[in-house]
Amino acid sequence: MAALELDDGTIHYQTSGDGRPLVFVHGGWMDGTAWEPQVDHFADEYRVVTLDVRGHGSTGATDADQYSIELFTDDLEALLSRLEGDQPILCGLSLGSMVVQEFLDRHPANASAAILGGAVRSMPPVELPTAMKSLWSPLPALTTSLSLSGSTGTFQSMLQSIQATTGKRWLSVDPDVRAEAIDGVGDISAAEYRKIFDALYQYDPPELTGVETPTLVVHGDQEAPLVKRQGSQIATDVADGTRVELSDSGHLVNLDRPRAFNRVTANFLEKVTAA
């Protein structure tokens, strides 16, 4: 892996292939390997880049006392500056979709296209005023759970709560994909888990109404209904937005239905290029 040295940490990333940069940002408590089906598919045509966000994968813990979507986006900007070349195509999943949205808000026309899988604007997927978030913060309970159950146990409890609330299989419909995602959480320390959760919970999403970048939103049919609603809002707010729902798939839509995800992404990019 390559390394991007920053003042407060080192961001690790992987590149494959040549051509226009196609940059993938993974979901929370995952890492760049979550994009393997997409790397294998797109590396013949694009310069595919996968990074491990702070607190995740080979990047691991950094010196920052707190994480935020804004900080993750700063790191993405630094990486894109290193890559140079053509305007990038950005693809984010879940937490990664927030990072891409933040980038698009900062730079409404600086990406040639954006793909948002499991796209969510906020966590929980109901936008609350900042003051209300502070009053209803789940962080004290999360800290207790992490001290008693560790990262894996806390993540499993969150999954059970979401499934009970939505009645959906949510994370993944594939037992192997689900098991691998849960196993990966065990590699993240309790301290880093909390910093990642805090970044998700504290994020105040942008409006995106000034974004000109063609944007594709992809959800699985087992996605939480409120997340689907937020994804529809994204596709409506941007100037050129499209939303697609894939059957037999959950939040990790790129892993549940990799061929279908790759197909709709390729078709979308072909249309963007033709336009």
Side-chain angles (χ1 to χ4, degrees), residues 1-32:
M1 297 188 79
L4 175 66
E5 301 290 344
L6 301 174
D7 291 340
D8 57 355
T10 302
I11 306 300
H12 289 270
Y13 65 97
Q14 186 82 41
T15 62
S16 303
D18 296 301
R20 180 184 294 275
L22 173 54
V23 182
F24 290 93
V25 188
H26 59 77
W29 307 290
M30 304 181 78
D31 60 36

Side-chain angles (χ1 to χ4, degrees), residues 18-87:
D18 296 301
R20 180 184 294 275
L22 173 54
V23 182
F24 290 93
V25 188
H26 59 77
W29 307 290
M30 304 181 78
D31 60 36
T33 61
W35 297 108
E36 285 182 356
Q38 285 67 55
V39 173
D40 292 342
H41 183 83
F42 288 104
D44 288 341
E45 186 175 355
Y46 298 94
R47 183 184 181 191
V48 177
V49 182
T50 58
L51 74 150
D52 288 353
V53 175
R54 291 173 188 256
H56 303 77
S58 296
T59 295
T62 65
D63 294 338
D65 294 330
Q66 293 182 315
Y67 292 157
S68 66
I69 300 300
E70 291 83 356
L71 177 60
F72 298 155
T73 308
D74 292 343
D75 296 340
L76 176 62
E77 289 177 334
L79 176 58
L80 293 177
S81 294
R82 168 175 285 194
L83 296 176
E84 298 179 336
D86 295 330
Q87 281 191 331

